[in-house]
Amino acid sequence: MKLIENLLYIDLDRVLMKKIALLLIFGILVSGCISVEKEKPQETPTETETPIKTEPPQEITVEQKFASYSSYPVDVTPNAKAYDFVPENMENFYLTETQKKILEEKGFVVIPAYSKQFYEVYKGCRENNIPIFVTTDSMLHTYHIMYDYTLRILEVKKFLEDLETLTQSMLNASIEQYNSSEGKIKEAARKNVAYFSVAMKLLNENYKVSDLVKKEVDEELSLIKKHKGFSFSPIFGYREDYSQYVPRGHYTRSEDLERYFKAMMWYGRIMFRLEPGKTPEMIEKGREETRQAILIVLSLKNKELELWDRIYEPTVFFVGKTDDLNVYEYKAIIKKVYGDSIDDIEEKLDEFIEEAKKYRDPKINSSFVYDIEKPEDVTKGFRFMGQRFIPDSYMFQQLVYNKVLQYQGNDRPFTMVPSQAGPIRGFPRGLDVFAVLGSEEALNILEEEGDTDYIKYDEQMEKLRDEFSSLNENDWTQNLYWNWLYSLLPLIDEGKEGYPEFMQNKAWTRKELFTALGSWTELRHDTILYAKQSYTIKATAMPTPPEMTKGYVEPQPYVYARLASLTKMTREGLEERGLLLDEYKTKLEELENLLLKLKTISEKELENKTLSDEEYGLIWNIGETLEQLCTFETAVESEADESIEIIADVHTDTNTSQVLEEGVGNAFTILVIVNVEGKTYITEGAVFSYYEFKWPMSDRLTDEKWQEMEKPELPKWTEEFIS
């Protein structure tokens, strides 16, 4: 099956047309919906853009990007000189025999260290006259800081106030609908009062909830506060994962961010389903929830829709579009089925449901679903501010049960979990993402460690590789999330002919994979609120006075070029809409310029050209430069930001009630033997440390907990280059 971008243009009222013409409602991968052989009713409540057909019978050509992407070209023919790993300055480093052996065999070695920031390593090198090795890790981390801090400040300064105003307005409208209706519509409006009251209470703990819904709201809030895992929602009756409401990622940094996180998580997860089952009871449940959804959409008048847009559109730029049906699609269906006005929702409710079922299915299951159900059927419906489709969660969904079936090996690999259906692939791994994106080494490691020994794994991996290999630059740069992943692709390109000696071995290939995983972990951390998480279906030396030494830049010009383009897109996209503070604009400009200089240095290194004194000076002062870029006067920070250690849960297994945690620890030290102007010596730099482990879903980890706890073991496959 082929990946396409699903675009949807909705014919709305003329008053709204100008505002939303540029806001397209959906760009997702359309293949690979979860399917099973049986169905049982639910038991519990490149470059150029072209017209693309949507699932409803429409065709459009509309500009859908928040900002344009312009790529910086790389012009290089790698031809670095060969040299032996015999450095002139070995005596300046205190190394164990194992470290010396790895260094002499591979040309580099990574050493666990305790640096809280990347720039600390480089400032230490400068103070101690150690030649510097500028890593892609340090630059990827710097972009993470820009992305994360920019998103934080927007959430606090812009989105939170709009969210509070929107919630109050929707709550008032729901109360009016309740007072003016009767029968089933009145009950649907009452439940919407409860729905928006929960959000209002999460935003403002002093809000007084109406006696009309107080009981259900209090019970709902109690479950959110306990956040233990799956429980039946007092308002909606189906299972909800209340462990998701633990503020984490950067949302622990202030009370405002915590309030915003909880309310947006509620809006992002709660479903108004179309038809959650085929029994009369489930069909009626779908009608009930759809009545609520229609009433909500009818309440979104000009002012409310503008507020909704002001939150949704910028977050689409950062993360992506929802894969659930949303406001615009429901408005379009209402107009098609009911016309310009609705006298009686009930009259054509079944027709509305049938029309809505023709629209796209959700591609990521983020709820409790049995393997005898079809997730695309039982979870399909409306979400007020649905969580976003991200490609890596889609990959995960396709590489766990029940897309991938029972274990066929004789060991206990990381991905295997016991279940009523036998041993199944309950967990994905970060390596799966990069295997799909083309890394043969990632796939080799998965095979070595038994994580591919499942029925249908190979088939699913092949399908995913085919889908993602067909994407062009326009697909990859549709928003900042996809673009960040796009910047990591050169790291997993294993063709390194003409590159320096230390880059032409399996150990370096694994080190670059380690870097990609560290940066991807930061991406998942920064977007933990918006990104739709996948779920496994339930189965059944003495210092000397500083004197500049000539250092080296990790020669990855394509990484620096793509990061520079990503940084430019971030700046321009936010600046055009008045969402960028002056300090952040300046820092993004400075980062872009730095990345372009590193690209040029890399090109020179690969073609054996001598660097200028200014370029050597840039390397020598990289620690101070990075510190300046990562330090903000206007920021939402806490003590947790004093360390680069962050954690993100990225997948939930309902069979074991555990989550997959991806963590970045302290910056590790890397020593690399390089050849500079005919001299061979050891340089020092900073790289990510990366961890992957399972953890109880009832205790989803925050950055603060992660920074305090003893770290798990590093991945076994890193032994080849870490000592």
Side-chain angles (χ1 to χ4, degrees):
M1 289 178 271
K2 188 177 180 182
L3 274 177
I4 65 171
E5 188 172 354
N6 214 1
L7 305 175
L8 185 62
Y9 182 81
I10 308 301
D11 180 22
L12 295 179
D13 299 336
R14 280 179 301 179
V15 183
L16 305 176
M17 284 292 292
K18 185 176 179 181
K19 171 163 285 297
I20 63 170
L22 294 178
L23 178 61
L24 284 188
I25 308 311
F26 203 25
I28 66 169
L29 308 169
V30 270
S31 60
C33 296
I34 294 176
S35 61
V36 291
E37 294 178 359
K38 299 185 202 175
E39 179 181 357
K40 180 180 177 180
Q42 182 169 334
E43 296 176 346
T44 60
T46 229
E47 308 285 343
T48 345
E49 296 185 15
T50 55
I52 299 176
K53 287 188 177 180
T54 63
E55 291 192 58
Q58 304 179 38
E59 190 169 294
I60 58 159
T61 307
V62 184
E63 172 63 46
Q64 96 276 16
K65 287 188 176 180
F66 195 91
S68 60
Y69 177 85
S70 55
S71 58
Y72 286 108
V74 174
D75 183 15
V76 64
T77 302
N79 189 31
K81 290 181 180 178
Y83 60 95
D84 295 326
F85 297 146
V86 183
E88 298 180 9
N89 59 342
M90 179 71 85
E91 69 280 358
N92 294 340
F93 296 86
Y94 297 97
L95 303 175
T96 66
E97 289 304 312
T98 301
Q99 291 166 352
K100 286 181 181 178
K101 183 179 179 182
I102 295 175
L103 186 59
E104 291 168 352
E105 288 181 358
K106 314 295 185 184
F108 78 100
V109 65
V110 173
I111 302 171
Y114 302 97
S115 301
K116 296 293 185 183
Q117 298 286 346
F118 278 86
Y119 58 73
E120 288 179 359
V121 176
Y122 291 112
K123 291 176 71 176
C125 290
R126 190 177 188 277
E127 291 168 3
N128 293 291
N129 268 357
I130 297 173
I132 285 172
F133 183 81
V134 180
T135 61
T136 53
D137 307 60
S138 60
M139 303 316 302
L140 288 162
H141 172 73
T142 303
Y143 178 74
H144 143 71
I145 294 295
M146 297 290 180
Y147 181 102
D148 194 37
Y149 276 49
T150 302
L151 185 54
R152 293 183 198 185
I153 204 76
L154 286 175
E155 288 167 331
V156 169
K157 299 290 186 182
K158 300 284 187 180
F159 305 157
L160 178 59
E161 182 179 352
D162 284 345
L163 187 66
E164 290 173 327
T165 304
L166 175 62
T167 299
Q168 184 63 68
S169 183
M170 296 302 293
L171 182 52
N172 293 342
S174 297
I175 292 172
E176 289 178 13
Q177 288 171 333
Y178 173 80
N179 290 332
S180 62
S181 59
E182 56 186 26
K184 292 180 178 179
I185 303 301
K186 191 176 188 71
E187 176 59 15
R190 190 190 73 81
K191 286 199 168 187
N192 283 345
V193 173
Y195 171 69
F196 288 111
S197 292
V198 170
M200 200 68 234
K201 193 73 173 176
L202 292 172
L203 288 166
N204 178 8
E205 62 180 12
N206 296 320
Y207 175 76
K208 182 174 173 54
V209 178
S210 167
D211 290 340
L212 182 68
V213 293
K214 191 174 189 312
K215 181 177 182 297
E216 298 106 303
V217 171
D218 285 349
E219 290 174 354
E220 203 79 58
L221 291 167
S222 176
L223 290 170
I224 289 172
K225 184 176 181 180
K226 292 174 182 176
H227 52 74
K228 292 301 182 184
F230 284 106
S231 293
F232 290 101
S233 165
I235 296 173
F236 294 92
Y238 52 71
R239 279 191 178 95
E240 168 61 349
D241 180 5
Y242 291 95
S243 70
Q244 287 281 7
Y245 294 87
V246 178
R248 50 206 194 280
H250 65 238
Y251 297 96
T252 60
R253 303 310 195 259
S254 74
E255 290 184 5
D256 283 345
L257 283 172
E258 287 189 2
R259 294 191 293 121
Y260 178 80
F261 177 93
K262 290 177 181 178
M264 282 291 285
M265 185 65 74
W266 175 253
Y267 283 151
R269 290 190 54 80
I270 292 301
M271 306 176 290
F272 298 85
R273 302 164 300 173
L274 289 164
E275 190 176 272
K278 297 299 184 184
T279 64
E281 293 78 15
M282 287 296 103
I283 290 172
E284 183 53 41
K285 193 75 175 69
R287 291 192 185 111
E288 176 187 304
E289 292 175 24
T290 303
R291 288 186 198 100
Q292 289 184 252
I294 291 174
L295 288 174
I296 288 171
V297 173
L298 291 175
S299 298
L300 283 160
K301 307 298 185 184
N302 294 356
K303 171 192 170 186
E304 290 78 18
L305 189 59
E306 181 179 352
L307 288 166
W308 188 91
D309 262 355
R310 293 209 309 239
I311 301 167
Y312 181 75
E313 188 178 359
T315 54
V316 166
F317 179 56
F318 275 94
V319 189
K321 302 165 186 172
T322 175
D323 70 341
D324 297 294
L325 302 181
N326 63 29
V327 169
Y328 294 112
E329 287 134 327
Y330 266 47
K331 275 188 174 289
I333 301 168
I334 288 170
K335 184 169 186 179
K336 181 175 182 179
V337 173
Y338 291 98
D340 293 329
S341 62
I342 299 182
D343 295 324
D344 182 5
I345 290 177
E346 209 66 23
E347 181 183 3
K348 295 184 178 180
L349 182 61
D350 289 338
E351 185 180 340
F352 178 95
I353 290 172
E354 290 305 310
E355 181 65 24
K357 283 163 65 176
K358 297 176 185 177
Y359 280 60
R360 67 177 186 279
D361 296 329
K363 304 304 172 192
I364 300 170
N365 170 45
S366 61
S367 306
F368 187 99
V369 177
Y370 288 103
D371 57 1
I372 53 176
E373 299 172 317
K374 288 184 177 180
E376 63 267 32
D377 290 341
V378 300
T379 67
K380 186 170 184 174
F382 170 83
R383 281 177 169 147
F384 185 63
M385 192 76 73
Q387 290 182 305
R388 314 310 162 79
F389 175 91
I390 54 172
D392 36 328
S393 279
Y394 168 75
M395 297 173 197
F396 284 170
Q397 194 74 70
Q398 297 297 309
L399 292 172
V400 295
Y401 188 81
N402 63 356
K403 281 296 189 180
V404 171
L405 303 176
Q406 282 77 10
Y407 180 61
Q408 297 294 289
N410 300 308
D411 207 343
R412 295 187 62 84
F414 179 87
T415 50
M416 189 192 78
V417 302
S419 76
Q420 294 178 9
I424 59 172
R425 200 173 202 264
F427 283 96
R429 294 185 64 176
L431 289 166
D432 284 319
V433 174
F434 294 98
V436 168
L437 296 178
S439 171
E440 294 302 327
E441 194 57 39
L443 190 56
N444 290 340
I445 294 167
L446 289 165
E447 289 173 350
E448 289 172 8
E449 300 188 2
D451 291 304
T452 65
D453 294 338
Y454 297 86
I455 297 172
K456 295 187 70 176
Y457 179 88
D458 292 342
E459 177 185 334
Q460 287 296 102
M461 176 58 69
E462 184 178 356
K463 285 181 180 179
L464 287 167
R465 282 187 155 193
D466 287 346
E467 291 175 25
F468 280 88
S469 65
S470 71
L471 296 177
N472 58 32
E473 185 180 83
N474 194 54
D475 298 314
W476 280 113
T477 59
Q478 60 186 267
N479 58 56
L480 300 184
Y481 191 103
W482 281 74
N483 204 335
W484 188 333
L485 284 176
Y486 184 57
S487 299
L488 301 180
L489 296 186
L491 292 172
I492 61 173
D493 180 1
E494 294 164 18
K496 290 292 185 283
E497 184 177 351
Y499 281 71
E501 293 291 308
F502 66 85
M503 298 178 75
Q504 297 191 42
N505 55 60
K506 186 172 80 169
W508 184 264
T509 300
R510 291 194 170 192
K511 178 266 159 195
E512 294 289 67
L513 188 54
F514 198 62
T515 296
L517 285 161
S519 183
W520 168 71
T521 297
E522 290 189 326
L523 171 59
R524 289 301 299 253
H525 167 272
D526 298 347
T527 59
I528 198 163
L529 170 60
Y530 304 100
K532 196 172 187 183
Q533 190 173 124
S534 53
Y535 279 59
T536 302
I537 289 175
K538 177 70 175 177
T540 348
M542 292 298 290
T544 55
E547 180 178 341
M548 190 181 82
T549 55
K550 293 181 177 180
Y552 200 82
V553 171
E554 180 182 338
Q556 286 280 14
Y558 292 97
V559 173
Y560 304 127
R562 289 185 184 181
L563 266 180
S565 296
L566 170 58
T567 303
K568 181 181 180 182
M569 183 177 174
T570 306
R571 173 175 54 81
E572 291 181 347
L574 296 173
E575 188 177 13
E576 286 172 5
R577 286 159 177 80
L579 295 175
L580 192 60
L581 299 179
D582 289 343
E583 180 185 12
Y584 290 74
K585 175 186 175 183
T586 300
K587 287 185 182 291
L588 285 166
E589 289 174 336
E590 291 172 349
L591 175 59
E592 181 184 349
N593 291 331
L594 173 61
L595 287 162
L596 291 175
K597 290 176 182 177
L598 294 177
K599 178 185 82 75
T600 299
I601 292 172
S602 294
E603 292 168 340
K604 284 186 171 184
E605 290 171 339
L606 291 173
E607 294 185 334
N608 302 304
K609 295 177 180 177
T610 302
L611 303 188
S612 67
D613 290 342
E614 181 183 358
E615 288 167 331
Y616 281 127
L618 183 150
I619 297 171
W620 180 240
N621 293 304
I622 195 69
E624 287 73 14
T625 301
L626 294 180
E627 182 178 25
Q628 183 269 325
L629 286 172
C630 294
T631 305
F632 291 77
E633 292 182 7
T634 308
V636 185
E637 295 178 301
S638 72
E639 290 182 5
D641 294 305
E642 295 175 6
S643 170
I644 67 169
E645 295 178 275
I646 54 91
I647 192 80
D649 49 274
V650 301
H651 178 85
T652 302
D653 174 47
T654 60
N655 298 278
T656 60
S657 298
Q658 291 182 310
V659 296
L660 180 63
E661 296 277 7
E662 304 284 332
V664 167
N666 291 322
F668 282 4
T669 296
I670 186 171
L671 303 181
V672 185
I673 300 175
V674 302
N675 183 279
V676 178
E677 298 183 5
K679 293 184 178 181
T680 303
Y681 49 81
I682 300 173
T683 55
E684 182 176 325
V687 295
F688 285 113
S689 60
Y690 162 77
Y691 302 85
E692 181 177 64
F693 57 98
K694 302 168 190 173
W695 199 255
M697 66 184 292
S698 60
D699 184 32
R700 295 176 189 262
L701 292 173
T702 63
D703 293 345
E704 289 80 0
K705 284 185 179 180
W706 170 242
Q707 290 174 12
E708 292 174 0
M709 66 185 278
E710 183 179 346
K711 301 300 182 280
E713 292 184 3
L714 291 164
K716 186 174 178 59
W717 54 270
T718 64
E719 293 174 357
E720 193 160 344
F721 62 90
I722 296 181
S723 173

